[in-house]
Structures are given as structure tokens and as C-alpha cells.
Amino acid sequence: MATRERPRERVSATVTRWLRRTLVVAGLTLVAYLGGVATTQMWPVHTETAYFAAMVSVEPTLDSTVRLPMVVGDVIMTFHGPVPAPGLSADVQVREEVTDLIRSGTLQTAQLQPSQEELRSAINRGVQEVAWKFAAGSMTTSLLVLLMYAVARPHHLGLVVAAAAGATVVALAVPAGAAYLTYRVDRVAEFRATSLLSLVQTNTGLLTDLDRKADQGAVYVTNLLALSDAMRQEFTPSAVDAPVAAKFLLVSDLHGMDQFPLMRQIVASQGIDAVIDTGDLINFGQPSEGDLTDIYDGIQSLGVPYVFVRGNHDAVSATDEALLRRMAQVPNVVLLEPTAGDFRRVDVHGVSISGFNDTRYFNQRSDDFAAEQADTAALFRDATEGLEPTDLVVTHQPYAAHRVQARAFTLNGHMHVPEAVRGHVQIGSLTGGGLVNQFRIPPLTEAAKEAAAEDPETAGELLGHPYSFDVLTVGEDCSVASLTRYSYRNLVVGRPQFDDVSMINGLSLQAREPAAGRTCGPDLGVVTSPLLPPAQDDAAPATAQVP
């Protein structure tokens, strides 16, 4: 019996030995990786352009993100690669001699923006030096660990060197390969600027204004804004340079607040071609709410098509269509489902949009909202079976939106929190959830009292979600060029202030590529038509929609 078990014991011993070696190599690889990261953190790489300098290091994260912290805000670039890549951080500073040149009048701020060639050269130098410094740190760390082991067991010196070399190779090859495949211009998923830097994205004349008014205290602001704009143009070239076929303002969850003066400003300043509203226009399902706050006149005053689907606060029962009938009286409103089961599509400059209403209603009680939303999505799928999906499909509830298909992406609101993933965009609340949310006054905690004592203006801000809206840009090939997300605060107390502007690359959102040969542009106008299966298309001709 013992003799028959020996081969089995030898196999078990072999497996145990290889498992132990694998774990040792994995552990050494992690040690080598952390050693490389620590080396670049302790001795960051210096790279520079004519007017800027940066200290670059590897972050102990695998989030495929490049961060440029600055004194006036941060530039954050997120990439979508096939595998997660190590994060990078670059502490950007204005070179000391630049301040003196600006003060003396020798250098104008218009000259500060580095050229694309200069910027790429500085980036390439920094990346190369980070790579070899990371490699040196990895090898040194793994050797130190294994040499301590070799001192105790000197006859294992050959294995120690081999293990150190193997671990270092793995620790270098994996993150280096991930970085090579991920950190490319065409893989930028999001370009984000915070604080003062976000103003570059909303005010193209800001640098000129600062140039005229620059004094000693504005030197760093002016310089860093120039660098931020150069980085944005380098890493989001398609969004900056590509011809625009259509621009959409995406809003949701107004909840009875008249924010149309703000929307008119956005429409005018951003060149918006149509507004898309995913519902919850009012609070209690009564159309008279909109009359009390002049919502319907506000919609008409925008002067562009207003594409709308009903939300769960826009009706008092599952069959209530009073708000839809009132909205149909506004000349520029386009209802994607004007009555139950009657689905429409609108093509704005060639960009096709369809959608469906929420079947929920104000103050509804249900044991299974998810099943109801699944049924609602199923009705839309059945009605559009055999049709090519439109570029955008709009509805209110996320649970329903995730159960239908669009060529570019589906849109929903309801959650009051913006999100964006491939094939799906969730819009935040333009009004922070409306006055019903805003008048939930936060409790007077000790921290709140201290903050109010330091800055009395903060005492008046009420509780609610962030105010936010999106601007969607579509190119002439009908593909999504970019989604720019704006969030702000202090609207209720009368001091609106931008908190954040994020530009998301359309390549990371588009679910499917546009059909070959498609073109979009203003010459195609705005056309509405029934959304019917192919056999019924000829029976219902399209009609032009004029705001």
C-alpha cells in the first residue's frame, strides 16, 4: 500500500514546491513594483518646457489616471485602456525666471502656452526617465530583500539572483505594457479641470482678460491656465478641433423650478441646437405647477427644440397625461411618447433621438418597481422591433434605460447624480432636486456652526444635490465627440459658482460606431416622425419641427 502512494506523494510535493515558488515570485513582484513606485515618489523626475517645470512620479494606484495638481486647481486625465495602468502624478510649477520676465514686460501671457511639439517632447523625456528610475528602484528593492535571504542561506545565491531578475522583469513588463497600451491620445476617456482651471473650458476669453489685468498676484493664475488649455488641446484634440454637427443641452429633474434664464444663457453661449429633458419637470403631477412658475413660457423662450419624456413626478396616475397635453401646446416641445404607445423620433441635424415615458407617478406605492420598469422597457423594445436603434434613447428611470439599446447611448435622469459609462449616460439635476429638496435645511452641527462663523455666507446654503447639466457634442460623422459635464453650487442663495467641469471623450461613451457613410450637419434641419416598424414607414410621412 505504501509503495503505491509514493508517486502520489511525489506529485503532491512537486505541486507544493511550484505553488510555493509561484507565491514567492508573486510576492517579490509586488515588492519590486512598490519599490519602483517608492523610488519615483522619493526622487521624482524633472521635466520642463520653456516656461514650466514638472516633477513626475508613479502613483501606487492602478486607475489609468494622470493627475496634475496645481495651486489654482487640478488637471485630471483618465484613460480607458485594455488593462489598468499605474497612475501618474506631475507637480507642475511655473519656472522661477518666468515671473520676473512677465513683471518686466518682456514676456506676454499670450506667449506662455507651449506648442504641441514642445509639450510632447517634455512628456516623452519625463516618461523615459520615469521608466528607467522605476526599473532601477524595482531591481534594487527586490535584490535587497533577496540578499538578506541569501545571507542566511548563501548556497541559494544563484536562485536569489534569478528570482530577483524574474520578479523585476514581471514588475516592469506588466505596468510598462499597460502604460504603453493605455496612455495614448486616442484613449483619453475624460479630461477634467477643477476650481479656477475649470473656467478655461467655459470662458474662451479668460486668458485675454487676465493678460490685460495681470498683476503680481495673477501671474501664477495666468500661467497655469495657459498650460491647462494646452494640455486639454493635446489630449482631447477630437473634441477641440473636430467640426460640430449638433450640440445638445442635457437636463433633468427641474422639479418645478424656473431655471430657464440660466438655460437661455447656456443655449446662447454654447450654440445649443436642442435641449433634451429626461423628466420630472414638476413635483406633484399637476400641470398648474408649471403655470405658477412660468415653466412653459420659459421652455418656449429657449428658441430651440425641447425634447421631453415624462418622469415619475409628472403624473398623478399611471394613465394621467395632463402634463403631456399641456407640453404639446408649447410650440418647440417634441414629445417622444405624446400618448401611451405612440412613440416618436426626432432627427436634429441628422442625430436621431427616440424614447419613452416613465409609467410611475407621484406618490406611487409598489412592491416591485423594478418589474414595472422592465415591463415598460419591454413595451418599447416590442414597438421598435426590426428598427435600427436611434443614436440616443431617452427615458427617466435608469432601470428602464439599461434595458433598451441605442447606437450611441441611452439617457436617463431620476437619480439626481450624473454618471457616464459606455453606452449609457445619467443626467444630474439642473436644480439640485428643486426647492422640495433644497428646503431640507441641514442640521446645525458643530462643524456647520464653525464654518458659518468663519464664512457667514455659507450659513444660508440649503441641503440638496449638486446642480448639474451636460453639453453633448456630435461630429459631422454622427459620432459622439464629447460630453462636457458642469456642476455648480450656491444657486439657492443667489451666488452660483462652478465647482467642476469635466470633458469626457466621446470614444469612451459610444456603444456602436455610426453607420458608414452617414453625415450629420445643420443643413439636415430638425425632423419629427412616428417611430414605426419598417413595413409601416411609408404610411406616416415625416414632418419638419420648427422651434
Side-chain angles (χ1 to χ4, degrees):
M1 181 68 68
T3 303
R4 286 197 298 270
E5 290 180 353
R6 283 175 188 164
R8 196 174 301 171
E9 292 172 358
R10 285 198 297 271
V11 170
S12 177
T14 301
V15 170
T16 301
R17 185 167 56 254
W18 278 105
L19 181 60
R20 187 185 302 117
R21 291 175 180 176
T22 300
L23 291 174
V24 168
V25 172
L28 289 175
T29 300
L30 178 61
V31 168
Y33 175 75
L34 294 177
V37 170
T39 301
T40 66
Q41 293 276 334
M42 291 187 290
W43 297 283
V45 170
H46 177 88
T47 188
E48 61 184 33
T49 66
Y51 304 124
F52 303 98
M55 303 301 289
V56 186
S57 60
V58 179
E59 294 289 304
T61 59
L62 294 173
D63 56 4
S64 304
T65 298
V66 177
R67 297 174 178 83
L68 284 76
M70 305 182 191
V71 294
V72 291
D74 298 342
V75 170
I76 303 169
M77 290 174 289
T78 303
F79 295 73
H80 59 93
V83 291
L88 296 175
S89 176
D91 184 11
V92 179
Q93 299 291 333
V94 180
R95 295 179 62 179
E96 293 182 4
E97 58 268 28
V98 174
T99 301
D100 295 330
L101 289 173
I102 292 180
R103 289 174 184 161
S104 66
T106 306
L107 182 67
Q108 298 298 314
T109 55
Q111 301 171 276
L112 288 170
Q113 183 167 309
S115 67
Q116 302 305 305
E117 292 76 15
E118 184 183 14
L119 191 59
R120 289 171 186 169
S121 177
I123 292 172
N124 288 336
R125 288 197 305 272
V127 168
Q128 290 172 8
E129 191 171 345
V130 165
W132 74 253
K133 189 167 287 190
F134 183 92
S138 297
M139 176 64 83
T140 301
T141 303
S142 57
L143 279 176
L144 285 175
V145 171
L146 287 170
L147 285 175
M148 287 188 293
Y149 174 80
V151 168
R153 299 188 179 184
H155 59 285
H156 288 170
L157 183 60
L159 293 176
V160 165
V161 173
T168 303
V169 168
V170 175
L172 288 174
V174 173
Y180 176 77
L181 294 172
T182 299
Y183 290 133
R184 300 167 177 252
V185 171
D186 60 350
R187 290 193 178 277
V188 177
E190 179 179 0
F191 182 98
R192 177 181 172 193
T194 66
S195 191
L196 287 177
L197 289 180
S198 67
L199 295 177
V200 170
Q201 311 239 3
T202 60
N203 186 348
T204 55
L206 183 61
L207 295 180
T208 303
D209 292 340
L210 284 174
D211 193 30
R212 284 196 297 265
K213 303 173 185 177
D215 56 20
Q216 182 173 345
V219 168
Y220 265 69
V221 174
T222 306
N223 296 350
L224 293 173
L225 287 174
L227 176 62
S228 171
D229 200 39
M231 293 292 288
R232 183 171 65 92
Q233 293 185 40
E234 168 67 12
F235 286 100
T236 58
S238 61
V240 174
D241 301 328
V244 174
K247 268 191 173 184
F248 300 90
L249 171 60
L250 311 182
V251 300
S252 188
D253 295 85
L254 273 66
H255 285 284
M257 287 183 67
D258 177 12
Q259 289 305 314
F260 293 96
L262 172 63
M263 292 173 68
R264 282 196 297 273
Q265 180 182 358
I266 298 167
V267 167
S269 64
Q270 297 290 323
I272 299 298
D273 298 300
V275 177
I276 300 176
D277 185 340
T278 63
D280 275 5
L281 183 69
I282 53 181
N283 281 303
F284 309 112
Q286 300 289 345
S288 57
E289 295 178 58
D291 290 309
L292 290 172
T293 54
D294 294 324
I295 282 179
Y296 310 116
D297 290 340
I299 291 174
Q300 186 172 350
S301 73
L302 298 177
V304 295
Y306 195 90
V307 183
F308 181 76
V309 292
R310 190 182 71 187
N312 59 294
H313 279 262
D314 296 329
V316 296
S317 70
T319 58
D320 177 25
E321 296 182 347
L323 177 66
L324 296 176
R325 291 192 295 271
R326 180 64 183 87
M327 288 286 282
Q329 298 173 18
V330 183
N332 59 318
V333 165
V334 178
L335 299 175
L336 295 180
E337 190 182 1
T339 188
D342 178 18
F343 300 109
R344 306 290 178 90
R345 67 177 276 169
V346 58
D347 292 77
V348 179
H349 298 181
V351 181
S352 57
I353 307 167
S354 64
F356 52 98
N357 296 327
D358 191 354
T359 55
R360 290 183 60 187
Y361 51 91
F362 172 67
N363 212 25
Q364 180 186 4
R365 297 292 181 264
S366 174
D367 294 330
D368 196 349
F369 283 127
E372 294 176 3
Q373 292 302 309
D375 291 343
T376 301
L379 289 174
F380 180 79
R381 290 198 307 270
D382 292 343
T384 57
E385 186 176 359
L387 293 176
E388 183 69 19
T390 53
D391 295 311
L392 305 175
V393 176
V394 183
T395 191
H396 183 67
Q397 300 276 353
Y399 201 88
H402 285 296
R403 281 155 177 75
V404 296
Q405 290 187 342
R407 180 171 284 280
F409 51 76
T410 57
L411 280 166
N412 75 270
H414 185 63
M415 303 303 291
H416 298 190
V417 178
E419 292 182 356
V421 296
R422 184 176 297 279
H424 179 72
V425 169
Q426 180 169 285
I427 308 169
S429 170
L430 180 68
T431 63
L435 289 179
V436 173
N437 261 335
Q438 297 298 341
F439 278 124
R440 293 186 295 118
I441 301 177
L444 291 178
T445 62
E446 290 303 318
K449 292 177 182 177
E450 293 176 6
E454 294 179 5
D455 183 2
E457 291 186 346
T458 63
E461 183 64 6
L462 305 175
L463 194 65
H465 294 92
Y467 322 107
S468 62
F469 63 89
D470 302 337
V471 174
L472 170 66
T473 302
V474 178
E476 290 184 344
D477 63 350
C478 304
S479 66
V480 177
S482 66
L483 181 75
T484 307
R485 321 208 80 170
Y486 299 78
S487 66
Y488 50 101
R489 57 189 169 92
N490 293 345
L491 187 65
V492 170
V493 294
R495 301 185 310 278
Q497 175 183 348
F498 279 113
D499 273 344
D500 187 277
V501 179
S502 301
M503 178 182 285
I504 302 175
N505 193 323
L507 292 174
S508 66
L509 296 176
Q510 187 98 22
R512 297 165 54 185
E513 290 298 319
R518 275 187 69 189
T519 57
C520 291
D523 58 310
L524 296 177
V526 179
V527 178
T528 61
S529 58
L531 192 62
L532 299 173
Q536 303 179 43
D537 279 351
D538 296 337
T543 59
Q545 172 71 34
V546 180

